[in-house]
Amino acid sequence: MRLRHMREAGPVVAESPLIIKEQEALTGVWRLDLPQGLPLYLEIGMGRGKFIIDSARANPHINWLGIEKQDQVLYLALKRLTNQEIPANLRFFLLDALQLEQIFRHQEIERIYLNFSDPWPKKRHHKRRLTTQGLLNQYQKILTSSGQLFLKTDNPDFYAWSCEQLKENSWKLLVERTPAQDTITTEYEERFIRRGQTIYASSWQSRGQRKEDRGKRG
């Protein structure tokens, strides 16, 4: 997401109690501020926050966590909440997705959402995609045994590439979905639907940790 520089973003994000910073995340104290005993759903690359904010309001029985590594993007999400009641079951992380294993416990997350992730279309940039083998391994470790990964994009190349990565990494395709099946949409999704663009969506379940990972743990 390309954004113009906003000088006010840094201070606002730094002072917001809704946003969990790196040190808080690594010590795990963020868990104490959320309603206890609820399942954890995680959106990686939450953008301006429409999907996760609407989801938190519609599903108070679930704790919703959003990750973004740009403070200016999180600032826009905070602006969406201006003069509104903030759901108690909602938190944002100012972090890189590469730190997932340092933040979440083994099998702590019930669902992971990848909504309209940056497709990084140039081949030399594919290693930055959120569906690389390295990140998929991390997702497998933090998801529960019945946990699911939800993938949605408007980019057919990114979708095909991601599906191939998932299959190679021992994920099972559960359902290929259509936008009409989703009652809560992202900001990008609404724009693409208005334009008549095709949206590709599916849900996946991990078949378990890879053999080499199980060996290391044993």
Side-chain angles (χ1 to χ4, degrees), residues 63-214:
N63 283 328
W64 293 83
L65 311 170
I67 285 186
E68 261 298 339
K69 63 179 181 180
Q70 300 182 61
D71 59 2
Q72 296 188 70
V73 178
L74 286 174
Y75 172 68
L76 294 175
L78 291 175
K79 287 184 68 176
R80 185 183 292 277
L81 288 164
T82 301
N83 298 324
Q84 298 181 34
E85 183 177 355
I86 297 176
N89 60 329
L90 176 67
R91 290 293 183 279
F92 303 149
F93 289 82
L94 178 59
L95 293 165
D96 192 300
L98 294 173
Q99 295 177 283
L100 288 176
E101 282 189 87
Q102 301 175 58
I103 302 166
F104 300 109
R105 299 169 183 151
H106 180 62
Q107 294 193 353
E108 185 172 22
I109 303 296
E110 293 280 352
R111 287 188 181 184
I112 292 176
Y113 289 87
L114 302 179
N115 291 320
F116 300 94
S117 308
D118 191 330
W120 294 104
K122 295 182 180 178
K123 189 171 183 178
R124 68 177 183 272
H125 292 156
H126 285 186
K127 61 185 178 182
R128 302 181 186 180
R129 290 175 165 177
L130 290 178
T131 48
T132 61
Q133 294 289 323
L135 281 171
L136 290 177
N137 285 340
Q138 289 199 54
Y139 302 159
Q140 284 180 325
K141 292 173 184 177
I142 67 173
L143 278 171
T144 64
S145 57
S146 60
Q148 296 180 30
L149 173 72
F150 290 79
L151 175 67
K152 186 182 289 188
T153 181
D154 65 304
N155 188 295
D157 173 69
F158 173 71
Y159 183 72
W161 188 90
S162 297
C163 289
E164 188 61 32
Q165 298 298 305
L166 284 155
K167 291 173 184 176
E168 290 181 3
N169 214 56
S170 301
W171 291 74
K172 177 184 177 182
L173 175 63
L174 297 177
V175 180
E176 285 203 282
R177 302 175 294 122
T178 63
Q181 292 174 294
D182 297 325
T183 57
I184 298 178
T185 57
T186 74
E187 192 171 38
Y188 278 122
E189 184 172 4
E190 291 183 350
R191 188 184 311 169
F192 296 144
I193 290 173
R194 287 195 299 269
R195 294 175 182 172
Q197 291 180 236
T198 300
I199 294 173
Y200 306 87
S202 53
S203 59
W204 301 75
Q205 188 171 48
S206 171
R207 295 179 186 269
Q209 292 182 331
R210 298 175 64 167
K211 291 181 180 179
E212 56 266 38
D213 293 328
R214 292 198 296 268

Side-chain angles (χ1 to χ4, degrees), residues 16-28:
S16 173
L18 186 62
I19 295 179
I20 302 163
K21 287 75 174 179
E22 182 175 6
Q23 188 54 42
E24 296 171 307
L26 295 180
T27 58

Side-chain angles (χ1 to χ4, degrees), residues 8-68:
E8 67 273 27
V12 170
V13 167
E15 295 173 8
S16 173
L18 186 62
I19 295 179
I20 302 163
K21 287 75 174 179
E22 182 175 6
Q23 188 54 42
E24 296 171 307
L26 295 180
T27 58
V29 297
W30 59 270
R31 297 181 182 91
L32 302 177
D33 293 330
L34 285 167
Q36 300 299 298
L38 301 184
L40 296 173
Y41 285 12
L42 175 67
E43 184 182 16
I44 302 175
M46 50 168 272
R48 293 179 173 88
K50 180 184 181 302
F51 171 81
I52 196 166
I53 292 171
D54 290 350
S55 295
R57 287 191 174 124
N59 302 277
H61 57 290
I62 296 166
N63 283 328
W64 293 83
L65 311 170
I67 285 186
E68 261 298 339

